[in-house]
Amino acid sequence: MQVLDRFKKINGNTLKIIACITMLIDHLTAGIMLPVVRNGLYSGDLTANELNTIYIILRGIGRIAFPIFCFLLVEGFIHTRSRLRYALSLLLFGIISEIPFDLIFYAEEEIFNINIIEALEANSYLLNYQCNVFFTLLIGLLVIWAIDATVRLIKEKNIPPLLSFLAAAVITLIGCVIAYRINSDYDFYGVLLITIFYVLQKYEYLRILAGYVFISQLGIEYLAFPGFILMALYNHKRGRKLGWLKYFFYLFYPVHLTLIYIIRLSLIHILTLPTKRIV
């Protein structure tokens, strides 16, 4: 394992940038390419099979993002100065991101203009039906926070260690049920992945392997493999201090979703305009 340490050149900021880029590719594919093709608005030369292959490749690239965000969440939890501020930040940006998230990925009735209010009114039920990934990350954070506090208390009280495992299992189960009931993105799979990364934090490569084996059971998430390689190359350094710029990574999610929504509606509106006859 010491040989592998020579290749650990990736810091936390680099991982965040990679996660944001791959997430952007994924959301552009799901938020623009998919609805354009589904609505029969694509007029290029590519066949349906070729379009499907491109779609799978691009969505496969997007699978890299979520595991990295979960991994960094655990690292952030371990090193943050204020876990409460961390949790509140996730909650705040989860609330901010909910409307564009719902409209892009779950809206059943498209309103072909850029009036988000009208689109939201037509799909208002989604606010009670879906929750974006910030809520999954928040629940995961609260779960490992509760596990950490419970284990510390059990050690201080000299209670048999077996109770630590039972308590951790119960706490994780509660978090999984909440994520499932609110239908958050990745729901209990995300909570479990965060828990795996946290519980096995002392076993660096084992937690990466266990995380990949677990998440790969979920659809095409096995395509996230390159992301786990990047985690193995993580050097346990945050990178340059960003100050208030660190909130760029929080803002990136709602801002890019909103821009994708506007671009999609504008593009569909243009493509559905009747062709003018040239006299």
Side-chain angles (χ1 to χ4, degrees), residues 5-6 11 22 38 54 62 74 93 98 112 123 131 152 155 160 188 191 201 208 221 239 269 279:
D5 291 343
R6 296 168 51 189
N11 61 40
T22 54
R38 273 186 175 174
I54 294 172
V74 174
F93 285 95
E98 191 57 34
F112 295 128
N123 298 276
C131 286
R152 289 177 184 274
K155 286 182 178 179
F188 66 89
V191 175
Q201 61 181 284
I208 293 172
E221 298 302 320
H269 179 67
V279 180

Side-chain angles (χ1 to χ4, degrees), residues 61 64 68 90 95 110 117 120 162 166 173 175 183 185 194 210 215 228 238 242 255 257:
I61 293 172
I64 293 172
I68 291 178
L90 292 173
I95 294 171
E110 291 272 54
I117 301 301
L120 180 61
L162 177 61
L166 295 175
L173 178 61
N183 205 14
D185 201 16
I194 291 168
I215 201 66
F228 287 84
R238 180 175 58 183
L242 300 176
V255 169
L257 289 181

Side-chain angles (χ1 to χ4, degrees), residues 15 18 63-65 67-68 208 223-232:
L15 279 177
I18 292 171
R63 300 309 92 205
I64 293 172
I68 291 178
I208 293 172
L223 295 174
F225 181 73
F228 287 84
I229 296 297
L230 294 173
M231 293 176 212

